[in-house]
Amino acid sequence: MNQKMGCNIKIALLQIAPYKTQKENLEKGVRYCKKAKECGADIALFPEMWSNGYNIYNRPINEWKEEAISVHSEFVTTFGDLAKKLNMAIGITLLEKYKYAPRNSLVLFDRFGEQKFVYAKVHTCDFDVEHNLTPGEDFYVTTLDTACGEIKVGAMICYDREFPESARILMLKGAELVLVPNACPMEINRLSQLRARAYENMMAIATCNYPETVPDCNGSSSVFDGVAYLPNLEYSRDSCILQANGQEGIYIAELDLEQLRNYRRSEVHGNAYRHPKKYGLLTETKIQEPFVRNNYRE
């Protein structure tokens, strides 16, 4: 992968609160993408299900299902056109209209306005209202062309983070950066999960959450660069290169991709010493139904 020397990829986390209507969310999303570009961003990422502000709790199911939109809708294609206009990749999230039940999805556009993938949340929260959604079937990695060069990008959404297999598969597919839209309280344990996923797979993980003004959210959007050790440091380093506070805003992290690639070539994590033939149990069918916690939110 080519990268311009000394050029860090700038990731903008759009930690912003939604409005009540899709039209308002579209307009606000466009405004904040333009602001992100003014800040020099190469990639802009939205929180989970931005099209309706993840407003699916405590509402009639059929009511919010009606808010589902196609990945070819004006809402989504507007961000594709905007990505081309701004010369900036955009990860836009939506309640996606899909066959018999909607999906919780992310559409990634590159800086030329090309749709690189549509990722639907694989691990839907089936113990809660998300059991009314259609889960995704796979994890995707694409080569994203940025002004700083190419980078391999994949995606997870919120609850996916709690399954090490999600990040592991993305690592095996070559992901260097994983985009994670989110809509829940990012407290110490969930942040620790992201830190662990980045550490054990030697990849960067960028998570965008809603601000603290949104119910059940607290901001704390973050980026972990996946690099635990550097030649000039005697001990390990903190791989968290950005953690936002609870306030609404655009939070920019600069990812040193050259440093990450050098690290991946020399360190022992990721795929270096795995024994996949011994992991057969991981792919066997679940033996029993999971315990349901009614007070759990992603």
Side-chain angles (χ1 to χ4, degrees), residues 272-293:
Y273 294 98
R274 294 172 63 249
H275 294 272
K277 292 182 180 179
K278 301 175 183 179
Y279 307 152
L281 185 61
L282 291 175
T283 59
E284 292 186 9
T285 304
K286 290 183 293 187
I287 297 174
Q288 61 184 19
E289 288 300 309
F291 177 71
V292 176
R293 292 180 56 194

Side-chain angles (χ1 to χ4, degrees), residues 90-126:
I90 297 175
I92 181 62
T93 57
L94 67 150
L95 178 64
E96 180 196 354
K97 188 174 184 179
Y98 187 81
K99 296 182 180 179
Y100 307 108
R103 302 198 302 183
N104 182 344
S105 300
L106 162 72
V107 179
L108 180 63
F109 291 103
D110 68 12
R111 66 188 178 116
F112 308 111
E114 178 185 347
Q115 185 185 109
K116 301 300 289 185
F117 61 61
V118 178
Y119 171 69
K121 188 175 185 177
V122 168
H123 298 100
T124 49
C125 299
D126 292 342

Side-chain angles (χ1 to χ4, degrees), residues 140-158:
Y140 306 106
V141 174
T142 188
T143 300
L144 195 66
D145 185 302
T146 77
C148 283
E150 295 181 345
I151 180 173
K152 289 278 194 176
V153 177
M156 304 187 291
I157 295 179
C158 206

Side-chain angles (χ1 to χ4, degrees), residues 11 13-14 43 45-49 91 93 106 117 119 121 153-162 166-167 170 177-184 186 190 194 197-198 203-210 220-224 298:
I11 306 163
L13 305 179
L14 308 184
I43 304 171
L45 178 63
F46 282 86
E48 185 176 8
M49 208 184 290
T93 57
L106 162 72
F117 61 61
Y119 171 69
K121 188 175 185 177
V153 177
M156 304 187 291
I157 295 179
C158 206
Y159 190 49
D160 284 326
R161 135 203 98 241
E162 306 217 3
S166 305
L170 289 167
L177 167 64
V178 177
L179 304 176
V180 189
N182 195 82
C184 71
M186 291 308 297
R190 289 169 177 144
L194 295 169
R197 300 295 89 84
M203 62 188 185
I205 296 186
T207 303
C208 184
N209 196 25
Y210 286 103
S220 296
S221 297
S222 63
V223 178
F224 295 89
E298 287 198 66

Side-chain angles (χ1 to χ4, degrees), residues 2-10 40 42 146-151 254-259 261:
N2 295 323
Q3 186 194 15
K4 294 180 181 179
M5 295 298 294
C7 185
N8 293 343
I9 292 176
K10 293 185 178 181
D42 297 295
T146 77
C148 283
E150 295 181 345
I151 180 173
E254 293 194 33
L255 177 63
D256 188 335
L257 191 54
E258 182 180 5
Q259 174 181 270
R261 287 175 177 163

Side-chain angles (χ1 to χ4, degrees), residues 123 156 158-172 175-178 180 186 189-207 224-227 239 260 263-264 269-270:
H123 298 100
M156 304 187 291
C158 206
Y159 190 49
D160 284 326
R161 135 203 98 241
E162 306 217 3
F163 298 84
E165 296 86 352
S166 305
R168 184 63 87 187
I169 289 171
L170 289 167
M171 178 276 292
L172 291 173
E176 298 170 305
L177 167 64
V178 177
V180 189
M186 291 308 297
N189 294 299
R190 289 169 177 144
L191 288 168
S192 297
Q193 287 175 325
L194 295 169
R195 185 189 301 274
R197 300 295 89 84
Y199 170 75
E200 64 202 8
N201 293 294
M202 296 193 293
M203 62 188 185
I205 296 186
T207 303
F224 295 89
D225 69 6
V227 178
S239 66
L260 176 60
Y263 179 74
R264 286 160 69 105
H269 309 296

